[in-house]
Amino acid sequence: MQRYWLTVLFVSICINLLAQSPSKPNFIVIYVDDLNDYLGILEGHPQTITPNIDAIGASGINFTNSHTNAPGCAPARTSFFSGKDCEYTQVVNNHDYFSRFRMNFSEARGNELVYTLPEILKDSGNYYTYAINKAYHTSQENDFDITSTPTCEKSQSWNDTFKPGERESFDSICNTFADYSDYNWGIIPNELEDSLVDRAGTDAAINFIQSYADGSLDDCGKDAFFLTIGYFRPHTPRYFPESFF
């Protein structure tokens, strides 16, 4: 079954209490993997209860007729962040994507010119850019300069990134609660919630915003921030705490 990827929210939020310069807004961009219109505010499925997303939608603008350049994770994200269509990126499905974002653009492919949205904001807009979990195709490859270059001198898209640590042991624990052998989903004990990758990402986002607000973050003297957080669920495997049921 082909997996569909949807950018649920592209939230441009001016956080006046946090902005160091009132002339520039902060940006928070939220992605959710494999989520279609199964939201309370969109009435896509009667069994879906999504109070938090509904609250965001009720206080903002909902684009109910928006479309993606490609119904797949890698091509959609590559197109979105580069501002180029799939004909230019030559990433039409997940199998077309090379392991690192920049490898998809070269003179040999005729598409060597590439700038990303966060790269432009970082280098030309004086924004501090921070990616949490999955922004590009994988959280392990977020178009981040992994060299020893100082945070304030990073090339590519981000000043800094957050990604979950070693997951194999935790995933093995979750697998013991699987209800179906051919479909990875199950109800896990509530005490495991803090170890879920999306929960860890949310905590990282909260910590980032709080540290920015109280001035403890070394933001490289930037005017504002561009924060991206990517949620893996409802992408498989789907393990959720008992409290949600």
Side-chain angles (χ1 to χ4, degrees):
M1 179 180 66
Q2 185 177 22
R3 298 195 181 283
Y4 287 82
W5 176 88
L6 175 67
T7 301
V8 181
L9 302 170
F10 185 0
V11 188
S12 170
I13 303 176
C14 180
I15 308 176
N16 292 323
L17 294 178
L18 300 183
Q20 294 179 341
S21 171
S23 63
K24 280 189 177 180
N26 293 306
F27 289 90
I28 300 177
V29 181
I30 303 172
Y31 297 98
V32 182
D33 259 7
D34 286 5
L35 182 65
N36 52 29
D37 66 343
Y38 287 8
L39 300 172
I41 197 167
L42 297 180
E43 300 180 347
H45 197 291
Q47 291 180 318
T48 304
I49 302 173
T50 56
N52 293 319
I53 294 181
D54 294 349
I56 293 176
S59 63
I61 298 174
N62 299 285
F63 298 92
T64 58
N65 193 32
S66 59
H67 304 270
T68 181
N69 281 350
C73 181
R77 291 171 189 263
T78 304
S79 177
F80 176 83
F81 276 105
S82 68
K84 299 291 188 178
D85 61 25
C86 296
E87 182 177 5
Y88 183 85
T89 67
Q90 299 176 42
V91 181
V92 180
N93 58 59
N94 288 344
H95 300 296
D96 295 331
Y97 188 81
F98 290 103
S99 58
R100 299 191 64 81
F101 176 81
R102 301 278 166 171
M103 294 174 62
N104 295 282
F105 302 90
S106 67
E107 185 176 356
R109 293 165 62 88
N111 63 355
E112 65 274 17
L113 183 64
V114 58
Y115 300 98
T116 71
L117 173 62
E119 179 185 11
I120 292 173
L121 289 174
K122 175 174 66 68
D123 296 341
S124 301
N126 206 36
Y127 273 77
Y128 185 91
T129 58
Y130 188 54
I132 296 176
N133 289 348
K134 184 177 179 179
Y136 288 70
H137 188 41
T138 68
S139 59
Q140 287 72 33
E141 193 286 293
N142 265 337
D143 192 43
F144 177 61
D145 178 4
I146 61 175
T147 67
S148 58
T149 303
T151 299
C152 299
E153 300 175 15
K154 291 291 186 182
S155 63
Q156 301 182 7
S157 292
W158 312 101
N159 286 112
D160 201 2
T161 63
F162 171 89
K163 62 181 180 181
E166 180 58 51
R167 307 299 303 175
E168 289 185 5
S169 59
F170 178 72
D171 291 343
S172 296
I173 294 173
C174 287
N175 289 338
T176 64
F177 297 96
D179 285 348
Y180 294 94
S181 59
D182 295 329
Y183 192 74
N184 293 333
W185 90 277
I187 300 173
I188 63 175
N190 292 327
E191 55 265 27
L192 294 179
E193 180 176 358
D194 287 345
S195 297
L196 291 171
V197 63
D198 286 342
R199 177 59 182 266
T202 298
D203 290 341
I206 292 172
N207 291 335
F208 171 83
I209 293 173
Q210 288 178 337
S211 62
Y212 185 88
D214 62 27
S216 62
L217 174 73
D218 181 7
D219 63 358
C220 306
K222 301 289 188 176
D223 295 331
F225 68 76
F226 179 83
L227 170 65
T228 295
I229 177 170
Y231 287 101
F232 286 88
R233 308 297 173 258
H235 192 291
T236 58
R238 302 182 180 99
Y239 295 108
F240 303 95
E242 186 178 4
S243 61
F244 284 85
F245 294 85

